[in-house]
Amino acid sequence: MRDEVDGLIEAWRAERPDVDVTPLEVLSRVSRLARHLDRARRTVFTEHSLEPWEFDVLAELRRSGPPYELSPGRLLRATLVTSGTMTNRVDRLAAAGLVRRRPDPADKRGVLVRLTGQGAERIDAALESLLRYEETLLAPMPAPEREQLASLLRCLLVPLDTEPSGR
């Protein structure tokens, strides 16, 4: 079985036999897979009238458990955006009826963002469609290999997720 990366590796080895291109064997595949997944996810989200960022915010609220509300600060930390960006996103989600703001009883100056019934229905439906699609991608791989791949990818991701510089 060959993929596009095999051709890239062969070409680099022919042109630059003096460098070790083995990192490309893994990371180019991860990069290409990420692009394929991004396109597929955008298609799934579009079917549910969601942008990827809307899915991210709604999913964070849905995963938070009842009453499905978080502070904007907690949402921005979870989605890795600035406070101005989060304010804009919450405004747009509220205008669409997917979330609502309410005063934070623990902080008179603060607000909480709560998932509405419509928002919960939209995120649940999008998640179910996404999982169906992603299951088809993983179907050829036996469960033990999926677990092994998840573990190996975690080894690469953990240091990046915990890196303070955010590079």
Side-chain angles (χ1 to χ4, degrees):
M1 182 178 353
R2 288 181 52 85
D3 64 13
E4 293 289 324
V5 175
D6 290 318
L8 297 172
I9 298 300
E10 288 172 6
W12 276 121
R13 285 187 174 139
E15 291 299 315
R16 292 293 312 269
D18 58 311
V19 297
D20 178 11
V21 296
T22 55
L24 296 176
E25 292 185 71
V26 173
L27 300 178
S28 290
R29 285 183 173 94
V30 169
S31 178
R32 291 178 67 81
L33 181 59
R35 284 193 296 262
H36 284 293
L37 290 173
D38 184 56
R39 277 197 304 251
R41 285 179 167 201
R42 286 179 184 277
T43 299
V44 168
F45 299 156
T46 297
E47 291 169 1
H48 294 277
S49 302
L50 290 173
E51 293 292 329
W53 65 264
E54 291 173 308
F55 180 89
D56 291 345
V57 173
L58 296 175
E60 187 64 26
L61 288 166
R62 184 67 170 96
R63 285 191 306 265
S64 72
Y68 308 109
E69 68 181 12
L70 296 168
S71 70
R74 178 113 177 259
L75 284 170
L76 70 90
R77 283 188 299 278
T79 58
L80 304 174
V81 298
T82 65
S83 61
T85 298
M86 184 53 65
T87 298
N88 179 272
R89 290 179 175 186
V90 171
D91 288 346
R92 292 172 64 185
L93 289 168
L98 302 176
V99 302
R100 69 178 175 84
R101 286 184 174 94
R102 72 177 194 92
D104 184 346
D107 178 1
K108 291 182 183 182
R109 297 172 300 171
V111 298
L112 294 172
V113 179
R114 181 177 280 196
L115 191 62
T116 64
Q118 180 184 353
E121 288 173 13
R122 182 92 53 93
I123 190 62
D124 285 352
L127 176 65
E128 290 168 16
S129 292
L130 178 63
L131 292 174
R132 276 192 304 274
Y133 172 75
E134 290 184 353
E135 178 57 36
T136 66
L137 291 178
L138 293 172
M141 186 179 291
E145 290 179 6
R146 289 184 195 192
E147 292 171 15
Q148 181 182 20
L149 178 59
S151 179
L152 294 169
L153 291 171
R154 186 179 301 110
C155 289
L156 290 175
L157 192 55
V158 165
L160 298 173
D161 280 348
T162 58
E163 190 174 270
S165 67
R167 280 189 282 155

